[in-house]
Amino acid sequence: MSETASKALGAPAATPDAGRWKALVFIALAQLMVVLDATIVNIALPSAQQDLGISDGNRQWVVTAYALAFGGLLLFGGRIADLWGRKRAFVLGLGGFAVASALGGAATNEAMMFGARALQGVFGALLAPAALSLLAVMFTDAKERAKAFGIYGAIAGGGGAVGLILGGFLTEYLDWRWTFFVNIPFAIVAAAGAYFVIREPEGGRNRSPLDIPGVILSTLGLVALVYGFTRAESAGWSDSVTVGMFVASVVLLATFVAVESRVKAPLLPLRVITERNRGGIYLSLGLAIIAMFGLFLFLTYYLQIVKGYSPVKTGFAFLPMIAGMITGSTQIGTRLMTRVAPRLLMGPGFLVAALGMLLLTRLEIGSSYAALLLPAMLLLGLGMGTAFMPAMSLATQGVEPRDAGVASAMVNTSQQVGGAIGTALLNTIAASATTSYIADHIAGASSRSQQQLVQLEGMVEGYTNAIWFAVGILVVAAGIALTFVNAGRPGSATVTGAGSGEGVADEVQVPVVAH
């Protein structure tokens, strides 16, 4: 086999490091910490708000400060990982995240809380792309890569639901501060393990000078985009600041693309996103996250407000979804990834998740958990787990080692921006449908109990309206995956996107060698 073909396949130049599976444990632990932190704080928010005297108008900043820093700095974090080395960036990110979590848990006022959440976002933006790119450069054998990314995909998909369970437990039985303090042992164990176990392959760094204009434009553009969607949820889509943020985001990101196409050492080489498979994955993954994040929010409210579940019971109600994601990712995705093309896992996976979402459009006040919610969650989990696993793997497959960090950052960016869009867009649709329903039916409610019933019915009507949109979004994600992603199965004759340094996908014909 020629050297060029070997590189295109992502074949290791030397014997793989013996400690790579131990390293996976610590990488997975760090990923779990970052993902569950996105939802664990949500359940603790009412208690924290009361203790710290945070106003209703300002409470969104507990979530928004993290989202802005994390989403805005991901590309920069990915480039730093390529420049400094992924292991160093990974350990530093964990240390910083632990310190920020300690500050959040010890917060005595709202300013300290908001600052701690922003700091968590900064170090999360360094940690997340470093974790994914370490997997990309350490696991190059097709079958091993399938197993490693199966575990990683299950955590990336199910970590948010784990956060709901853990957040419920800690808030109900200990104190909201423990939703922050719990990150510290996670970070210490992962950092210590990574320091002693991870051996990053040589020659994968990108030592080009840092693209400062690219850093500034991408950070400001992504912050404006995430804040625009976050503000739309509370202030409305026609609000002047919301519109201004969207306009600023378009201008900044368009300027960023123009700059990146001209500079010698770009922050985001356009070859990373213009390669057909990676572009399709970033887009379909972002759309799927839009649907998922909105659903987490609706189901949490439905179970707690409509069904009267406690925070802990709500968390456990999400367990079937987690089980489905783990099964879809580690059993279905991992076993089939080396046998079928990625699009034949991603497309059907998103469609199975859409079917689960479709069941939830039948939600009513008296809907049975066992008859409706349980099968819907299982289908959602199975579909998402099956689709996420090959998406995570293919997003970094065939990319040049020097671009691994920034390619990984783009995966996280599509998820983060998708989460911000999903929460704002679907929540707005739900709120509008609820308001309309209540206005049409409240006149016929004479007693207080009837009025409360109409309000609950209106709430459920809002959720089902928004879920219909989520179904459509997942169908579109499936269509994009089936249309754009054309890579063959790992080890097959055609390998696409084997970093030529240009923005066009290469196709290298390689003879398949039996092992």
Side-chain angles (χ1 to χ4, degrees):
M1 185 182 291
S2 71
E3 184 181 347
T4 306
S6 180
K7 283 180 182 177
L9 278 173
T15 305
D17 181 62
R20 63 194 179 282
W21 289 107
K22 292 178 184 175
L24 175 62
V25 173
F26 301 112
I27 293 170
L29 187 64
Q31 174 65 12
L32 178 62
M33 181 187 73
V34 172
V35 174
L36 68 81
D37 195 73
T39 52
I40 194 172
V41 175
N42 289 358
I43 285 184
L45 187 53
S47 304
Q49 181 184 355
Q50 189 175 356
D51 275 9
L52 301 178
I54 301 172
S55 68
D56 286 347
N58 285 342
R59 69 181 174 188
Q60 63 159 329
W61 284 101
V62 176
V63 176
T64 304
Y66 178 83
L68 291 181
F70 189 62
L73 292 169
L74 272 167
L75 283 177
F76 182 46
R79 179 65 180 85
I80 289 294
D82 287 336
L83 180 66
W84 289 354
R86 285 117 206 164
K87 176 179 174 177
R88 185 181 298 175
F90 183 73
V91 173
L92 181 63
L94 283 165
F97 203 91
V99 170
S101 298
L103 288 173
T108 54
N109 54 52
E110 63 178 33
M112 189 172 172
M113 169 61 77
F114 301 155
R117 288 292 282 163
L119 201 60
Q120 277 187 319
V122 170
F123 285 103
L126 181 63
L127 173 61
L132 185 55
S133 58
L134 275 171
L135 280 192
V137 298
M138 292 179 77
F139 291 90
T140 51
D141 175 76
K143 287 187 177 179
E144 286 195 348
R145 188 179 178 91
K147 289 178 184 176
F149 276 89
I151 294 166
Y152 188 89
I155 290 169
V162 174
L164 295 172
I165 297 173
L166 193 55
F169 256 109
L170 294 173
T171 304
E172 200 163 316
Y173 296 117
L174 289 173
D175 185 75
W176 66 264
R177 295 182 185 276
W178 281 97
T179 60
F180 286 90
F181 291 145
V182 74
N183 290 328
I184 298 171
F186 272 104
I188 291 172
V189 171
Y195 183 80
F196 291 110
V197 171
I198 290 177
R199 298 287 179 269
E200 187 179 347
E202 295 293 328
R205 290 196 192 179
N206 184 345
R207 299 184 187 276
S208 304
L210 199 59
D211 170 22
I212 301 299
V215 170
I216 294 169
L217 287 166
S218 68
T219 301
L220 291 177
L222 288 170
V223 164
L225 183 64
V226 173
Y227 183 59
F229 279 107
T230 305
R231 185 174 173 87
E233 188 182 354
S234 56
W237 296 91
S238 59
D239 173 70
S240 58
V241 176
T242 303
V243 174
M245 284 293 135
F246 286 137
V247 171
S249 174
V250 170
V251 171
L252 287 163
L253 292 176
T255 308
F256 169 67
V257 171
V259 168
E260 297 306 274
S261 66
R262 288 174 173 80
V263 296
K264 188 176 179 181
L267 173 71
L268 175 63
L270 296 185
R271 60 180 174 266
V272 172
I273 54 173
T274 53
E275 197 277 307
R276 176 174 178 158
N277 291 288
R278 278 191 290 276
I281 281 167
Y282 297 146
L283 193 54
S284 61
L285 205 57
L287 286 169
I289 294 292
I290 288 175
M292 282 298 288
F293 262 66
L295 184 74
F296 274 152
L297 186 72
F298 299 144
L299 284 184
T300 301
Y301 281 131
Y302 174 79
L303 291 170
Q304 290 196 27
I305 297 173
V306 179
K307 304 296 279 185
Y309 284 21
S310 68
V312 170
K313 191 176 179 182
T314 300
F316 275 107
F318 280 97
L319 274 178
M321 191 185 294
I322 299 172
M325 282 181 175
I326 293 171
T327 303
S329 189
T330 62
Q331 300 303 311
I332 301 172
T334 300
R335 290 173 188 274
L336 294 180
M337 187 180 155
T338 55
R339 299 178 187 179
V340 301
R343 67 191 178 93
L344 298 180
L345 289 173
M346 291 178 63
F350 288 139
L351 289 175
V352 169
L355 183 60
M357 200 81 82
L358 189 64
L359 288 179
L360 291 173
T361 60
R362 298 170 57 201
L363 266 185
E364 295 174 355
I365 288 178
S367 291
S368 162
Y369 177 84
L372 182 65
L373 289 165
L374 178 62
M377 285 192 184
L378 281 171
L379 286 170
L380 272 163
L382 278 170
M384 286 297 192
T386 302
F388 273 21
M389 185 260 155
M392 293 286 185
S393 177
L394 192 59
T396 52
Q397 187 174 315
V399 75
E400 295 180 29
R402 64 196 174 111
D403 295 334
V406 79
S408 302
M410 276 302 299
V411 176
N412 288 286
T413 300
S414 66
Q415 290 178 298
Q416 188 63 28
V417 172
I421 294 171
T423 305
L425 179 64
L426 296 181
N427 209 31
T428 304
I429 292 166
S432 175
T434 296
T435 303
S436 177
Y437 183 92
I438 292 173
D440 290 344
H441 294 81
I442 199 71
S446 53
S447 66
R448 183 172 177 80
S449 61
Q450 286 178 325
Q451 289 174 351
Q452 288 175 335
L453 182 64
V454 167
Q455 287 176 335
L456 289 176
E457 286 172 345
M459 202 178 288
V460 175
E461 177 74 11
Y463 299 157
T464 54
N465 267 268
I467 289 169
W468 272 111
F469 276 85
V471 171
I473 290 168
L474 280 174
V475 171
V476 172
I480 289 170
L482 288 167
T483 306
F484 281 78
V485 180
N486 66 349
R489 63 182 175 81
S492 64
T494 303
V495 179
T496 54
S500 65
E502 300 297 326
V504 184
D506 295 331
E507 290 201 356
V508 184
Q509 297 299 324
V510 184
V512 179
V513 181
H515 294 282

